[in-house]
């Protein structure tokens, strides 16, 4: 395969890029996690603070990484950033964790959430939850394998589609709801109160903003486009999340949201719009998750592709191939789909999402710190974008992320060890591959 055949096509513009940020962030989390956040925080007031703090951490991280991405506008996102700043080993470990744990686990969790809501909406037997999820993951994997423009089209349409039910819940929830929002107890006594766990749950809902960097090599003008897409997308998402949670608390008591769990948003919609209207909103929620899942499947394989291009994965020759007709990383996409389906069979979505977020935040901290290193390393370089309020914003991102990592180790030590263990396993793999090179 010659170089012309093996080049990714630059087909992504600003609209698709912003749609990727919003679409890959707003998915299942805003509908699946409110009950978990309230239960972990102990009540509605602290739960709202958890959503605000999660948004601040995410926005600070996005503003910081936007400067890095503008200086390193290459396909691969976090993996490439850490390799450029810290060297091959740290880049490899971050890519290894993303390729083996983070990407497949997020895809698997979203697929299972989709199957869960689909089965509930259509009154199917619960045993079909996993199969519906698997079929959906396979379908979107196929769509994104036959062309980036098709995956991008699905992303843009689903992003617009998902904002309709969200807007309706916000507008009518704030208008028609009459429950107290602040000071409401969670109603559970068997869950240890932990703001760290509450913020971790919100970060799953906020996660996805860095994925747009994975397709920088397929953007028309990544130096300018990438920072703008991250900032605009995250600002929209943060405002939406807070409004959705306030609206839901207006309609349902905090303890009811906890009890209903993943079905709280659908129940709130039924109260606001009746059974038929509630079902239509539930369909909109499914569209939201579908679009989010599509964004993950579009972007995650780019990490595998970027690593394989550098010979840093087993079977790199195969995984680095771009399909000669479709112009997509076909085999890299297939690898993520296979791992995700295995995880769907052996685990549950809440655990998968917690492990995935903890694992990636270990490396997000390094990415946030990298902005200081790059400024010191390149003091005279002209930047097309600079993080505002430097160094305050990067410090907020580092402190907030560090709090989440430490809290997760204390609250969920076994899950934390799984993520750390897989990262450590990557070291001998890296050394073996280096010796072969």
């Amino acid at each position: 395969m010659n170089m012309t055949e093996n080049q990714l096509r630059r087909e992504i513009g600003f609209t698709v890029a912003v749609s990727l940020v919003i679409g890959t962030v707003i998915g299942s989390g805003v509908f699946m996690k409110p009950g978990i956040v309230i239960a972990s925080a102990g009540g509605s007031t602290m739960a709202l603070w958890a959503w605000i703090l999660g948004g601040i951490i995410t926005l600070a991280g996005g503003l910081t990484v936007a400067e890095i991405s503008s200086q390193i506008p290459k396909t691969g996102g976090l993996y490439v950033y850490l390799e450029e700043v810290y060297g091959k080993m740290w880049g490899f470990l971050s890519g290894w964790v993303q390729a083996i744990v983070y990407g497949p686990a997020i895809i698997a969790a979203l697929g299972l959430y989709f199957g869960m809501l689909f089965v509930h909406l259509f009154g199917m037997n619960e045993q079909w939850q996993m199969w519906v999820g698997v079929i959906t993951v396979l379908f979107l994997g196929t769509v994104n394998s036959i062309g980036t423009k098709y995956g991008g089209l699905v992303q843009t349409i689903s992003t617009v589609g998902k904002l309709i039910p969200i807007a309706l819940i916000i507008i009518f929830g704030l208008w028609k709801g009459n429950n107290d929002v602040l000071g409401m107890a969670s109603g559970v006594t068997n869950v240890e109160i932990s703001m760290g766990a509450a913020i971790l749950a919100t970060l799953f809902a906020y996660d996805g903003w860095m994925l747009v960097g994975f397709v920088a090599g397929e953007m028309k003008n990544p130096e300018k486009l990438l920072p703008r897409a991250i900032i605009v997308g995250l600002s929209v998402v943060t405002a939406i999340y807070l409004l959705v949670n306030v609206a839901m608390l207006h309609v349902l008591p905090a303890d009811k949201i906890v009890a209903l769990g993943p079905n709280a948003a659908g129940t709130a919609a039924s109260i606001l719009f009746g059974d038929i209207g509630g079902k239509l909103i539930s369909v909109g929620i499914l569209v939201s998750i579908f679009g989010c899942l599509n964004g993950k499947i579009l972007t995650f394989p780019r990490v595998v592709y970027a690593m394989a291009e550098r010979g840093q994965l087993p079977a790199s020759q195969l995984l680095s191939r771009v399909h000669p007709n479709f112009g997509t990383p076909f085999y890299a996409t297939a690898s993520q789909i296979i791992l995700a389906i295995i995880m769907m069979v052996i685990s549950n979505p809440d655990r998968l999402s917690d492990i995935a977020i903890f694992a990636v935040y270990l490396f997000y901290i390094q990415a946030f710190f990298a902005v200081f290193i790059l400024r010191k390393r390149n003091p005279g370089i002209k930047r097309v974008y600079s993080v505002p309020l430097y160094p305050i914003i990067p410090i907020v991102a580092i402190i907030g992320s560090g709090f989440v990592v430490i809290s997760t180790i204390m609250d969920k030590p076994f899950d934390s060890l799984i993520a750390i263990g897989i990262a450590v396993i990557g070291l001998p793999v890296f050394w073996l591959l280096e010796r072969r090179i």
Side-chain angles (χ1 to χ4, degrees), residues 279-291:
K279 287 187 181 298
L280 290 174
I281 296 298
S282 295
V283 170
I285 294 171
L286 281 174
V287 171
S288 174
I289 299 175
F290 186 83

Side-chain angles (χ1 to χ4, degrees), residues 348-363:
N348 68 76
D350 289 332
R351 188 171 192 182
L352 287 169
S353 62
D354 285 347
I355 291 173
I357 296 304
F358 171 80
V360 79
Y361 262 83
L362 293 173
F363 297 99

Side-chain angles (χ1 to χ4, degrees), residues 27-71:
S28 66
V30 68
F31 306 114
M32 300 289 104
K33 295 297 185 180
I36 295 173
V37 175
I38 292 171
S40 298
S44 61
T45 302
M46 294 308 295
L48 290 175
W49 272 113
W51 285 101
I52 292 170
L53 291 171
I56 290 171
I57 292 169
T58 305
L59 191 54
L63 291 168
T64 302
V65 169
E67 179 173 322
I68 300 167
S69 68
S70 68
Q71 295 185 55

